[in-house]
Amino acid sequence: MDFEVVVIGGGAAGLSAALVLGRARRRTLVLDDGAPSNAPAHAIGGLLGQDGTAPLELLAAGRAQLDALPTVEVRRATATVVRTGPDGVEVDGVRARALLLATGMHYRRPDLPGLEELWGDTVFHCPFCHGWEVRGRPLAVLADGPHAPAMGRLLRGWSDDVVLLSDPAALAAHESAALADAGVAVVGRPVRSLRARDGRLDAVVFADGGELPRAGLLVRAVPEPRSSLLDDLGLDRTKSGTVTVDGWGRTSTPRVWAAGDVAEPAPSIAVAIAAGSRAAAAITHALLVAG
C-alpha cells in the first residue's frame, strides 16, 4: 500500500482526522482541492479558543501542525476516481487500506442580487455561527417551506425584532399562531435584492420598490454534496443527502468512513473537528486491532 489512509478533503474535519492519524503513526495522505465551502465567512463563531478567527486562518494553522508530522502528506488535488476492494481502496491510483471522506457540502443559497458580497457575515445560514454579531438588532429570515416557521422562531433568540419573509398563505394556522406568540411578523412581499452599506446589510428591497431596514438576514441554504464520489461509492444516504454513518463515522461501504458536513445534519466547524477526530480513532482501531 502507498498509504494506510487517504483523507479526501482538507477542511476542519479532514485536517482534524489527519492530525489524529498522524500522531498515531498511520501513514496518511490528505487530498485537498483548496476550496472550502466556508471560505467566504468573515470569522468563525462558537468555536472554543478560536471565536472570531477567519476560517482560512484556522485551516492554515491546521496544515502547519500537519507539516510537523512525517507520517502525513498533504497534496493540492481533487480526487476523481475511487475504487474499493477486499484489501483496501484506490484513489486516483493511490492505494490505501482505508478512506475517509471529508469533502464537505455546498450550500445553495437564493439567487438574489446583493447576497453574495454579504454572505458569511450579515447574511448567513447558521445563527449559532453568526447570530451573536448581529444580536439585538433588526433581523429577518428569508425562507419558504416547512423550515420557515422554525427558522423565524429560532432567530428570536438573538433579537426581539425578527421578520419572516415568506408566503403567509403557505403557513398552517398553528404555525401562524406560534409565530405571532413568538413576536415574529410575517411579510409576504417578494424580495428583489439586498442593499448594503459599508459592507454590511442595510435593507431588504422588495419587488414593489419598498424597503425593510435590517441588520442581518438568515436564509435557507440547501446543502448539496461537493463531490460525486458519494454516488460512485454507492454510500447509503439520509433524506437530507448526507452520508449515513454510525457513531464512529463508518459508512455502509467497508473501509470507508465519512466526517464533517458531508455526514452531519448540523453543519458546524466544532462538530466537524470532533467528527474528524472520532473517525480517525475508529480507523486507527480498525487498522491495528480489527484488521
Side-chain angles (χ1 to χ4, degrees):
M1 295 293 176
D2 302 303
F3 292 88
E4 290 178 275
V5 186
V6 172
V7 177
I8 302 178
L15 296 185
S16 174
L19 180 63
V20 173
L21 289 164
R23 287 171 55 85
R25 301 201 305 171
R26 300 306 97 201
R27 292 179 294 109
T28 302
L29 172 65
V30 179
L31 300 177
D32 179 23
D33 65 7
S37 59
N38 62 357
H42 290 222
I44 298 169
L47 180 60
L48 184 65
Q50 298 291 336
D51 204 41
T53 300
L56 294 182
E57 291 180 9
L58 177 71
L59 297 182
R63 287 192 296 271
Q65 285 185 294
L66 297 182
D67 287 342
L69 296 174
T71 45
V72 178
E73 179 181 340
V74 180
R75 296 179 188 173
R76 177 64 64 87
T78 299
T80 58
V81 179
V82 176
R83 299 184 180 90
T84 62
D87 298 324
V89 300
E90 185 175 313
V91 182
D92 292 335
V94 176
R95 297 176 303 153
R97 295 177 62 193
L99 170 66
L100 174 63
L101 289 172
T103 52
M105 301 286 271
H106 168 71
Y107 293 90
R108 177 165 51 84
R109 45 259 195 190
D111 184 12
L112 191 63
L115 185 148
E116 285 303 311
E117 52 264 41
L118 299 170
W119 183 249
D121 188 14
T122 51
V123 178
F124 49 89
H125 73 105
C126 175
F128 296 97
C129 300
H130 301 285
W132 176 255
E133 284 68 32
V134 292
R135 66 193 183 281
R137 306 186 68 187
L139 306 179
V141 176
L142 179 62
D144 285 308
H147 298 280
M151 292 173 66
R153 294 169 63 190
L154 179 63
L155 197 58
R156 275 286 278 109
W158 287 265
S159 174
D160 294 332
D161 182 357
V162 175
V163 173
L164 173 60
L165 304 172
S166 189
D167 181 7
L171 300 174
H174 72 277
E175 293 173 330
S176 297
L179 288 165
D181 289 343
V184 178
V186 181
V187 175
R189 298 158 71 184
V191 176
R192 183 178 69 194
S193 63
L194 303 179
R195 190 183 73 218
R197 176 176 295 177
D198 299 326
R200 300 177 66 83
L201 178 65
D202 184 53
V204 175
V205 181
F206 297 110
D208 59 15
E211 297 184 355
L212 176 67
R214 295 287 100 175
L217 178 67
L218 172 65
V219 303
R220 168 72 174 157
V222 181
E224 299 173 334
R226 298 179 66 237
S227 173
S228 63
L229 298 180
L230 280 62
D231 292 327
D232 296 344
L233 288 166
L235 304 176
D236 287 350
R237 307 272 281 278
T238 67
K239 291 182 179 180
S240 63
T242 57
V243 177
T244 301
V245 296
D246 67 7
W248 292 95
R250 188 179 289 104
T251 73
S252 58
T253 298
R255 299 184 179 274
V256 179
W257 281 256
D261 289 6
V262 74
E264 294 290 340
S268 160
I269 289 183
V271 173
I273 291 172
S277 177
R278 186 169 57 242
I283 292 170
T284 301
H285 185 276
L287 295 177
L288 296 177
V289 180

